[in-house]
Amino acid sequence: MAVPKERGRNGDAPEAVRAERRPDIPEWTIRQLWGLAGGRCEFRGCNEPVYKDRLTHAHRNMGCVSHIVSWVATGPRGDPVRSPILAKKIENLMLTCLVHGRLIDDGGEVENYPEERLLQFKAQHEQRVRMLTSVSEVTRTEVLVVRVPIDGGQEVPIGKEVFEAILPDFPAREVPQRIDLNDMGPVSDAAGFGRAASSLATRIKSILRMRQEDGETSTLSVFAIAPVPLLVYLGTALGDMVPVQTFQRRRRFESWSWEADLPDGQEENYLVTAPDESEEGAREVALFLDVSARVPQTSVAGSVLAELPRYRLTAPKPSVDFLCRRQQVRVFGVQLRELLARIAEENPEASVLHLVAAVPAPIAIELGRHLRFSIRTVQTYEFNKRERAYWPCLLYTPTEVPV
C-alpha cells in the first residue's frame, strides 16, 4: 500500500524532510488504521470513502496515512523528542483523503490544524465508526427533511449533519426523502398556509404509500423547519401508524443531535393550567402551549379567545433552548394526551380547538399526531413578528387530512 510522504507548502516536501527517508509503517498498523477509520477520511466533515474514486467510483487507493505529529522534527507539528517516538504509533496516524492529507500538512495551513485538533478529528471519527459497527441488531431509519420558508425568518440549510444525529441508527437510504416548499416563498397569509398544507399532505401521502409498497418497516426520522401551524399539520398527516422520531435543531450548538436522557423519574413535568369551572355548552375552547416562550393571551389578534374556556400546557422553563432531550418530547406527549382527554370531558359539546403555540418543531409535530381523534376542527395561529401578535392562519379538520 503506497504511503505518500510528508508534504510542505503547496504539497512539496521541505528540504529537511526530503533529506530523510520516511520510516516504514508496519503493514499491520496501516490495515488496523483503515479498519478503525472505516475506510473513510478522518478529516472532520469529509468522511469520503478512500477506497474508490469519488467521481468515477473506480476502486483504487485514494487515501494516505497522515502523521499528526510529523515523523521528523522539522515537519508539520514536528517535535525533536516526540517525532521519532510517535513515527510509527497508530495513535499518531490519521487516514485521510489525498486532498485533506495535503491540506493539514500545507505550510500555510499547519497553524489551523494543531495536534490537539487533529487528535479530536481522529477520536470522534473512530468513535462513530465503533458505534455503528458495534450495534448487534441493525436499526434502520428513513430520514425525512421538510423545509417551508418562515416569513421574516432566516433560512437554515439542512445537510448531511442529519446522519450524525440519527446515530447509532443506520439510514435506510443514502439520500434523505425531501419535502422542500421553498419555491412557494414565505407563507404569509391564510391562503398561502392552505396551499402549503395541501402540498405537505400530498407529499407525505406519497412517501407513506411508497414505504408501504416497499414493505419498509423502519422508523421515520423527521428533520423539519417550518411555521408552527404547518408543523402541527405535518404531524397530523404523519399520524400514528408509522413509528416517527423527531429532531430539534439546537441553535447554540448548530446541531441536530439530542442530549442523553435523564434517569427515569428525573425529567420535570409540564405545568397544566385549566379553567376553575367548566363552561357549560361551550362549543369552542382555546389551548395555549408555552415551550419556546410564554404566549401572553393579549398577544392574540382580536378578543375572541378571551371569552372561551382556556387551557395551557407550559414547559418548566420556556425558552428556545429548553428542548434538548428526546425524553422531553415523550413527556409532553403523555401530558398532552391527558389534557386533550380532560378538555373533551369538561367540554363535551366543543367542536373547535383554538391552538396558540410557541413550540419547537418536535413538540409541534407530536401535537399534530395526537389531534386526529381529539377534536373535530383545529384553528391554528401564527406569530407575526411585524405585528407582534398571533393571527389565525390555518383552519382544518384533522380526520380529513389524508394519510
Side-chain angles (χ1 to χ4, degrees):
M1 183 179 296
V3 180
K5 293 183 177 181
E6 296 275 351
R7 298 180 177 88
R9 185 182 298 273
N10 300 321
D12 296 326
E15 288 295 331
V17 175
R18 287 203 298 266
E20 298 185 39
R21 181 177 181 274
R22 172 172 169 155
D24 292 329
I25 300 174
E27 185 73 13
W28 165 246
T29 301
I30 295 176
R31 293 182 185 276
Q32 186 180 7
L33 180 63
W34 272 73
L36 290 172
R40 293 176 176 269
C41 177
E42 295 191 282
F43 188 92
R44 179 184 288 164
C46 179
N47 200 43
E48 283 291 328
V50 294
Y51 49 81
K52 65 177 182 179
D53 182 84
R54 65 182 300 179
L55 181 62
T56 66
H57 299 290
H59 285 260
R60 54 178 299 186
N61 180 9
M62 302 297 294
C64 59
V65 176
S66 300
H67 280 86
I68 296 175
V69 174
S70 175
W71 53 274
V72 62
T74 54
R77 295 166 297 276
D79 181 87
V81 176
R82 300 171 66 229
S83 287
I85 297 174
L86 297 174
K88 300 181 182 181
K89 299 285 188 180
I90 193 169
E91 59 266 27
N92 187 49
L93 302 174
M94 289 178 65
L95 180 65
T96 64
C97 65
L98 299 177
V99 171
H100 290 115
R102 287 180 179 273
L103 177 65
I104 63 175
D105 286 349
D106 187 295
E109 294 287 342
V110 169
E111 64 179 16
N112 294 326
Y113 300 102
E115 178 184 356
E116 295 77 13
R117 190 177 188 194
L118 295 181
L119 285 172
Q120 187 180 57
F121 286 5
K122 172 182 172 71
Q124 290 177 343
H125 181 94
E126 293 177 7
Q127 180 185 31
R128 185 164 63 248
V129 171
R130 282 195 302 273
M131 287 176 61
L132 286 169
T133 55
S134 64
V135 177
S136 56
E137 181 180 348
V138 176
T139 304
R140 300 193 312 160
T141 184
E142 184 166 6
V143 176
L144 172 62
V145 173
V146 179
R147 294 180 60 203
V148 181
I150 299 175
D151 188 24
Q154 184 177 5
E155 182 177 340
V156 178
I158 307 178
K160 62 183 180 181
E161 67 273 9
V162 299
F163 291 114
E164 294 185 5
I166 65 173
L167 291 174
D169 290 351
F170 286 90
R173 305 171 194 267
E174 290 187 13
V175 179
Q177 296 274 11
R178 290 186 180 273
I179 299 177
D180 195 334
L181 303 187
N182 275 291
D183 56 341
M184 296 182 61
V187 182
S188 57
D189 57 26
F193 271 92
R195 290 192 297 271
S198 177
S199 182
L200 274 177
T202 299
R203 301 192 194 191
I204 287 293
K205 185 176 180 180
S206 175
I207 289 172
L208 296 183
R209 184 189 298 117
M210 182 179 63
R211 283 170 53 88
Q212 186 176 23
E213 292 173 352
D214 292 344
E216 185 60 68
T217 59
S218 63
T219 60
L220 195 62
S221 293
V222 182
F223 297 79
I225 294 179
V228 169
L230 290 175
L231 291 169
V232 175
Y233 189 90
L234 170 64
T236 304
L238 288 171
D240 58 2
M241 300 302 291
V242 177
V244 172
Q245 56 183 6
T246 52
F247 292 81
Q248 165 71 359
R249 183 177 183 272
R250 301 172 62 201
R251 303 181 189 181
R252 190 172 15 161
F253 304 102
E254 296 187 355
S255 168
W256 290 87
S257 299
W258 291 110
E259 290 183 10
D261 285 348
L262 298 177
D264 290 344
Q266 290 191 16
E267 188 64 67
E268 292 184 88
N269 286 328
Y270 294 74
L271 308 176
V272 177
T273 306
D276 294 333
E277 297 180 1
S278 59
E279 186 175 323
E280 186 176 350
R283 297 185 179 277
E284 301 181 24
V285 296
L287 174 59
F288 293 81
L289 298 175
D290 316 307
V291 178
S292 300
R294 187 168 180 86
V295 181
Q297 182 182 310
T298 55
S299 66
V300 180
S303 59
V304 61
L305 301 192
E307 302 172 1
L308 303 180
R310 297 180 300 279
Y311 296 79
R312 189 180 289 271
L313 193 59
T314 304
K317 297 179 181 178
S319 78
V320 293
D321 296 321
F322 168 76
L323 193 67
C324 58
R325 293 181 295 276
R326 184 178 282 125
Q327 184 181 36
Q328 294 169 306
V329 182
R330 292 195 295 267
V331 172
F332 172 84
V334 171
Q335 291 192 249
L336 174 67
R337 287 194 297 272
E338 294 174 352
L339 182 55
L340 290 174
R342 176 177 176 178
I343 291 174
E345 180 181 355
E346 295 180 355
N347 305 273
E349 297 183 36
S351 60
V352 178
L353 177 69
H354 293 264
L355 181 62
V356 188
V359 297
I363 295 291
I365 295 171
E366 183 76 5
L367 169 61
R369 298 183 75 203
H370 291 296
L371 286 179
R372 177 167 289 274
F373 303 107
S374 302
I375 197 75
R376 185 179 303 167
T377 303
V378 175
Q379 173 67 71
T380 57
Y381 290 72
E382 170 68 347
F383 185 69
N384 185 306
K385 291 184 177 180
R386 291 180 290 274
E387 301 295 332
R388 305 298 299 173
Y390 287 86
W391 57 278
C393 61
L394 182 62
L395 178 73
Y396 73 97
T397 303
T399 55
E400 294 180 359
V401 176
V403 292

